[in-house]
Amino acid sequence: MSEGVKRSSSNGFEKPLTTEHQQEKVCPSHLLVTFVTSYWRETFKLVTLSSMQVNEVKRLVGPLPEKLSIYCSDASIERHLRARNWNVKKALKMLKETLKWRVAYKPEEIRWEEIAHEAHTGKIYRSSYVDKHGRTVLVMRPSCQNSKSIKGQIKYLVYCMENAILNLPPDQEQMVWLIDFSGFNLSHISLKVTRETAHVLQDHYPERLGLAILYNPPKFFEPFWMVAKAFLEPKTYNKVKFVYSDEINTMKIVEDLFDMDYLEAAFGGKDSVGFDITKYAERMKEDDKRMPSFWTRASSPSAAPQPDLASATLDSLNLDSNSDASDDDKTEGSMPHGIDSDTVFTDENTLVIDGGKKESESESEDPHRTDVKPDDKAHA
């Protein structure tokens, strides 16, 4: 019998198969092969475009001294690209600003002794447990704030971020924030600290936050959150989840993310051991000993070889950028398709950017400001 017909059971005559019957005869394995082939074709296109953009950013940044070249790994450049919707020009600008910040601020050189006074109350600390994905967890308790110094608070936050990254497993690049609002009141609200925190997180640690859980925030926090969202990009505030201990549906977020046997009782877990500053200080001192090796090439095989630029200055590294095209010149790109390489990969001379930040608020001169510019202090 031919493929496209079937025999009538009543009279023996053959009649053509309907489209519906033909579809029924399509082999399921053929459909699977078609789907898998299409999936891998799109994945290959995405990976290829991603690799092209990473290499383009590397080319435009140019040679760097060892620590900065280690920071500019493929994974790091890709995080900057993701944070800027795969727009090469904007990602390059963001990366250059962070490189200048790291040269001036030296976040990897902050040690426990410098910030121990900020840590005493346990307002921020890296937990001894991880989530089910192996991501490091920073616990935050705004009600335990013990400092009036914004400079000191931000320096301690930077120390905690660097420590959390140090302790990430090789297959993870993001962390989780657990924010406990017990004891929180209006006196703990600071828009200025919130703005600085958002600046550090989004501009210098792009795509490092996987999820932020706000646990039992009080009702009066909601209007503050609506104001605070103005400091956050959509990608960031979409990672913020409100969880309430008396709401089963929100508690499921925590239960799905953590092994409750190891999670602190303050977040609904079964671990009743609280924060111990003495034990925590010992952990941090041990981590401080590991930090220098983390920033050497031997521990970062993915870092591209660079010439010896140990004595290079910011100017000689072409991180200054006084003639970049305005951000209003949008060259948006989206993955995995729809990227116009003629608009994304522009001429190198148009990608030299202005290192200055435009801020309406005045800040006092501070050698540890997170938005410090090269002209504000001696070149490192």
Side-chain angles (χ1 to χ4, degrees), residues 229-244:
K229 281 175 69 174
F231 304 135
L232 304 176
E233 297 170 0
K235 279 187 177 182
T236 302
Y237 66 67
N238 285 334
K239 296 176 182 178
V240 176
K241 307 298 178 185
F242 284 68
V243 173
Y244 300 92

Side-chain angles (χ1 to χ4, degrees), residues 68-333:
L68 294 186
S69 67
I70 291 172
Y71 179 81
C72 286
S73 65
D74 287 3
S76 177
I77 293 174
E78 189 169 317
R79 283 193 299 272
H80 285 76
L81 283 164
R82 290 204 308 270
R84 290 296 176 261
N85 197 30
W86 299 93
N87 182 303
V88 168
K89 183 180 75 172
K90 292 182 179 181
L92 179 66
K93 178 175 181 178
M94 183 187 205
L95 179 60
K96 284 188 173 186
E97 289 294 332
T98 292
L99 293 176
K100 289 188 292 183
W101 174 78
R102 294 193 74 90
V103 168
Y105 201 82
K106 297 180 173 59
E108 76 284 355
E109 295 182 12
I110 302 173
R111 294 296 177 261
W112 174 254
E113 289 75 14
E114 301 173 51
I115 47 77
H117 60 285
E118 292 280 347
H120 186 74
T121 59
K123 63 184 178 184
I124 308 177
Y125 59 91
R126 180 175 61 81
S127 70
S128 57
Y129 52 87
V130 295
D131 75 351
K132 290 180 180 178
H133 303 289
R135 295 179 293 189
T136 50
V137 177
L138 287 184
V139 175
M140 302 181 176
R141 292 194 165 91
S143 64
C144 294
Q145 183 57 257
N146 62 337
S147 170
K148 298 291 186 183
S149 168
I150 295 178
K151 177 184 77 173
Q153 293 176 43
I154 296 301
K155 186 175 182 179
Y156 181 48
L157 173 66
V158 168
Y159 174 83
C160 292
M161 293 292 293
E162 294 287 318
N163 182 268
I165 292 168
L166 174 71
N167 285 280
L168 283 170
D171 62 338
Q172 287 292 347
E173 58 180 7
Q174 294 185 321
M175 66 189 74
V176 175
W177 287 8
L178 275 177
I179 307 174
D180 178 12
F181 278 86
S182 60
F184 185 83
N185 59 50
L186 289 171
S187 69
H188 300 124
I189 291 178
S190 170
L191 280 174
K192 198 167 187 180
V193 172
T194 301
R195 180 176 68 86
E196 287 299 310
T197 299
H199 167 60
V200 168
L201 176 66
Q202 296 179 140
D203 294 354
H204 300 317
Y205 295 95
E207 294 299 310
R208 283 299 193 181
L209 180 65
L211 187 69
I213 293 178
L214 277 56
Y215 193 78
N216 284 336
K219 205 71 177 171
F220 64 78
F221 179 77
E222 292 179 10
F224 169 74
W225 168 243
M226 298 307 295
V227 175
K229 281 175 69 174
F231 304 135
L232 304 176
E233 297 170 0
K235 279 187 177 182
T236 302
Y237 66 67
N238 285 334
K239 296 176 182 178
V240 176
K241 307 298 178 185
F242 284 68
V243 173
Y244 300 92
S245 57
D246 58 353
E247 292 184 4
I248 297 175
N249 60 326
T250 61
M251 277 301 295
K252 194 174 186 302
I253 297 173
V254 174
E255 293 164 358
D256 289 345
L257 196 61
F258 294 99
D259 184 331
M260 302 303 282
D261 288 335
Y262 297 100
L263 184 66
E264 293 175 53
F267 298 103
K270 298 179 181 178
D271 185 1
S272 58
V273 178
F275 175 74
D276 186 321
I277 184 61
T278 303
K279 292 180 180 178
Y280 189 69
E282 291 305 313
R283 285 174 59 201
M284 294 302 101
K285 289 175 183 177
E286 288 301 312
D287 282 352
D288 284 354
K289 294 176 184 177
R290 295 166 47 213
M291 187 64 78
S293 63
F294 185 77
W295 290 100
T296 58
R297 198 170 305 284
S299 66
S300 304
S302 63
Q306 300 280 10
D308 183 12
L309 298 172
S311 60
T313 65
L314 288 176
D315 289 330
S316 66
L317 294 178
N318 192 31
L319 296 185
D320 251 354
S321 38
N322 293 321
S323 59
D324 183 37
S326 166
D327 273 353
D328 294 334
D329 255 346
K330 296 197 183 288
T331 54
E332 297 292 346

